[in-house]
């Protein structure tokens, strides 16, 4: 053999001590966030089962069932505050439940801190966009809009 | 031996009625993952063709390979009887103790794969650096902490109170559970099942007064909430500890303390 390989002393890979830097445990973040996220996941899951199956039952099975669904059906539902809040709860819980799930997947699978950071930025931006847009639609939805002074009247709209 | 015993079925045909006579022998191929940074950074697989006996364990095959074929094969073992926890390794893709795995229970028609446990830095062959493992073990303070005066005689405990944490007292710190945990594989920041099991052993000990402190330590970003209940740890534990159940009990204790 030519040049003798450089042989490191056992466990000398770290400048700080015996543990290689990538295995050093960081100080760890105290606080309740992870516990609350874990709890939210379980509670929102239970509530979502009720909300989603209620939603599916009312939309697909009651009355004429799936044949009744059209623009007017949705407009009719959102004229009722009960269904507005039902859909709002479904939107928020499903989005936060899903976001939290993807957040844990990113934490588990992204190895580099920068990758982890940017994936989460994209995730949170997408969540914020969808939650805000969805909330706006549920509360500002107008089935009989007036555009440039012209009424777009459908047969379910109140007579002018 | 009756047919009703719970022993795993032998995968090697041992002639019937051979008790008392010679122990039957068979040939195996032991495929060991070799890594020696003093020679090369490359990892290679070495095959050892060995004639072993029906009473032999994987550890005996490793001994035979080291003593009779290649003296540079490196692995840890101490008591060789499943108590010291030195020889945890990946055998055919499962974390086992080499000293508790009988060769006749493995598929000897194919090579038997032996690798170091995953998630910890390999130092040589089957030897890993256990320091990250013990680092998180130390953080949960695995010793009795009691308030008040020291009693003049032993600390009395009822049978029921002892039973509460009996399962988690069996841990031998072999790291089979922690190194089978996919969350620990990612970045090694998670406390790992073994540390939580040993915290459980003191949290639920009626003689210990620092349960709150340990729960606070495990209520961490890298604490019990990173457990995904994949049950790899419970399956890997050579002592049969219900590891995932112990972690769930610690989660519940943290929640019960908060609300």
């Amino acid at each position: 053999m030519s040049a003798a390989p450089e042989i490191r002393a056992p466990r000398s890979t770290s400048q700080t001590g015996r543990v290689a830097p990538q295995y050093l445990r960081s100080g760890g973040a105290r606080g309740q966030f992870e516990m609350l996220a874990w709890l939210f996941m379980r509670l929102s899951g239970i509530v979502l089962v009720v909300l989603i199956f209620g939603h599916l039952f009312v939309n697909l099975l009651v009355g004429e069932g799936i044949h009744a669904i059209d623009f007017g059906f949705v407009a009719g539902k959102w004229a009722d505050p009960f269904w507005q809040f039902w859909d709002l709860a479904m939107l928020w819980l499903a989005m936060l439940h899903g976001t939290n799930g993807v957040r844990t997947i990113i934490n588990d699978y992204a190895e580099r801190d920068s990758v982890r950071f940017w994936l989460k930025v994209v995730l949170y931006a997408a969540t914020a966009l969808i939650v805000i847009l969805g909330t706006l639609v549920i509360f500002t939805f107008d089935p009989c809009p007036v555009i440039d002074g012209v009424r777009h009247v459908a047969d379910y709209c109140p007579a002018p | 031996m009756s047919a009703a015993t719970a022993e795993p079925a032998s995968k090697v045909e041992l002639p019937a009625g051979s008790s008392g006579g010679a122990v039957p022998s068979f040939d195996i191929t032991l495929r060991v993952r070799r890594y020696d940074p003093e020679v090369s950074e490359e990892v290679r697989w070495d095959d050892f063709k060995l004639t072993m006996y029906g009473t032999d364990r994987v550890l005996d095959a490793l001994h035979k390979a080291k003593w009779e074929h290649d003296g540079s094969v490196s692995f840890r073992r101490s008591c060789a009887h499943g108590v010291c926890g030195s020889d945890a390794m990946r055998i055919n893709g499962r974390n086992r103790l080499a000293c508790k795995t009988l060769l006749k229970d493995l598929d000897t028609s194919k090579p038997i794969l032996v690798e170091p446990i995953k998630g910890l830095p390999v130092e040589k062959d089957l030897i890993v650096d256990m320091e990250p493992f013990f680092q998180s073990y130390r953080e949960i303070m695995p010793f009795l902490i009691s308030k008040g005066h020291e009693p003049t005689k032993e600390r009395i405990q009822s049978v029921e109170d002892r039973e509460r944490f009996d399962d988690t007292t069996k841990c031998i710190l072999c790291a089979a559970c922690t190194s089978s945990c996919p969350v620990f594989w990612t970045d090694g920041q998670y406390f790992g099942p073994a540390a939580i099991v040993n915290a459980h052993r003191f949290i639920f000990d009626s003689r210990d007064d620092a349960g709150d402190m340990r729960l606070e330590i495990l209520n961490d970003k890298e604490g019990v909430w990173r457990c995904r209940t994949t049950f790899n740890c419970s399956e890997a534990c050579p002592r049969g500890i219900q590891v995932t159940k112990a972690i769930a009990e610690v989660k519940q204790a943290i929640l019960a303390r908060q609300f």
Side-chain angles (χ1 to χ4, degrees):
Chain A
M1 286 180 78
S2 54
E6 189 197 338
I7 298 168
R8 290 187 304 247
R11 300 190 175 109
S12 67
T13 42
S14 158
Q15 294 81 30
T16 47
R18 295 172 65 197
V19 182
Q22 68 268 33
Y23 292 96
L24 262 185
R25 289 178 53 72
S26 51
R30 292 284 188 274
Q32 307 293 343
F33 180 73
E34 289 296 328
M35 182 194 71
L36 294 174
W38 187 89
L39 201 61
F40 170 79
M41 217 51 184
R42 270 109 199 116
L43 297 179
S44 65
I46 295 168
V47 178
L48 275 170
V49 166
V50 176
L51 288 178
I52 290 172
F53 280 100
H55 172 83
L56 291 176
F57 179 73
V58 168
N59 280 20
L60 306 180
L61 296 173
V62 173
E64 285 177 72
I66 195 163
H67 305 291
I69 293 187
D70 56 10
F71 185 82
F73 180 84
V74 177
K77 266 183 92 179
W78 279 351
D80 184 347
F82 175 81
W83 287 112
Q84 275 188 330
F85 280 100
W86 184 291
D87 283 6
L88 184 78
M90 207 160 60
L91 171 77
W92 277 69
L93 288 179
M95 282 309 295
L96 294 180
H97 185 94
T99 304
N100 193 33
V102 177
R103 182 184 70 89
T104 57
I105 290 173
I106 293 172
N107 279 343
D108 283 357
Y109 285 92
E111 289 182 22
R112 292 217 312 271
D113 282 346
S114 57
V115 174
R116 197 176 283 189
F117 174 79
W118 285 111
L119 283 174
K120 282 190 196 171
V121 167
V122 172
L123 173 71
Y124 295 152
T127 304
L129 183 74
I130 293 170
V131 166
I132 291 169
L133 267 183
T135 308
L136 268 176
V137 168
I138 291 174
F139 283 117
T140 61
F141 181 71
D142 183 2
C144 308
V146 179
I147 300 169
D148 295 337
V150 181
R151 280 179 180 276
H152 290 67
V153 185
D155 51 2
Y156 47 79
C157 286
Chain B
M1 196 186 272
S2 73
T5 49
E7 289 295 308
S10 172
K11 293 198 174 63
V12 175
E13 286 296 316
L14 300 177
S18 64
S19 58
V23 178
S25 68
F26 46 84
D27 290 333
I28 63 154
T29 305
L30 192 70
R31 185 166 287 174
V32 184
R33 193 175 191 270
R34 305 295 306 275
Y35 168 72
D36 185 355
E38 294 181 11
V39 176
S40 162
E41 287 294 325
E42 294 290 306
V43 167
R44 66 177 200 280
W45 292 88
D46 275 1
D47 281 8
F48 299 97
K49 296 211 184 304
L50 308 165
T51 301
M52 303 304 297
Y53 296 93
T55 50
D56 282 340
R57 305 152 299 168
V58 172
L59 183 66
D60 298 304
L62 282 167
H63 276 155
K64 194 159 189 171
K66 183 178 176 68
W67 293 340
E68 296 174 18
H69 294 263
D70 183 351
S72 70
V73 177
S74 304
F75 53 90
R76 283 198 186 103
R77 72 102 173 82
S78 193
C79 78
H81 290 84
V83 177
C84 72
S86 305
D87 63 349
M89 48 190 75
R90 257 166 96 84
I91 298 165
N92 281 349
R94 286 183 55 193
N95 281 5
R96 320 271 298 257
L97 293 183
C99 58
K100 282 185 82 173
T101 309
L102 282 168
L103 288 168
K104 72 180 179 69
D105 296 335
L106 300 170
D107 183 1
T108 49
S109 66
K110 284 187 280 191
I112 295 166
L113 260 64
V114 181
E115 304 161 72
I117 46 178
K118 276 178 74 168
L120 293 164
V122 179
E123 293 195 324
K124 186 182 179 186
D125 294 348
L126 303 174
I127 298 176
V128 297
D129 185 355
M130 296 281 279
E131 195 50 33
F133 172 80
F134 285 116
Q135 197 188 7
S136 63
Y137 175 60
R138 280 192 295 268
E139 278 178 48
I140 54 100
M141 303 184 292
F143 37 80
L144 186 84
I145 301 171
S146 68
K147 293 200 187 89
H149 296 291
E150 203 172 308
T152 49
K153 48 185 184 153
E154 69 267 33
R155 297 169 199 272
I156 309 288
Q157 186 169 45
S158 71
V159 175
E160 293 76 34
D161 283 349
R162 177 63 177 72
E163 187 62 31
R164 180 69 192 82
F165 61 95
D166 184 66
D167 198 35
T168 45
T169 61
K170 298 175 193 160
C171 178
I172 55 173
L173 295 171
C174 65
C177 57
T178 294
S179 63
S180 74
C181 176
V183 178
F184 184 79
W185 291 339
T186 309
D187 54 7
Q189 294 293 308
Y190 174 42
F191 269 90
I196 299 170
V197 158
N198 285 281
H200 179 283
R201 183 250 171 275
F202 287 100
I203 289 166
F204 294 97
D205 188 337
S206 60
R207 297 164 296 185
D208 189 273
D209 293 320
D212 271 351
M213 225 192 295
R214 295 196 184 86
L215 290 176
E216 191 51 48
I217 291 166
L218 290 175
N219 184 18
D220 180 285
K221 183 166 161 286
E222 307 295 343
V224 287
W225 310 115
R226 281 205 85 178
C227 170
R228 307 276 172 262
T229 58
T230 56
F231 284 86
N232 279 19
C233 48
S234 300
E235 240 169 71
C237 181
R239 305 302 307 270
I241 301 172
Q242 298 297 306
V243 183
T244 315
K245 185 175 169 231
I247 297 173
E249 285 174 358
V250 173
K251 283 177 188 167
Q252 282 167 17
I254 293 175
L255 285 175
R257 184 168 149 269
Q258 296 288 332
F259 299 104

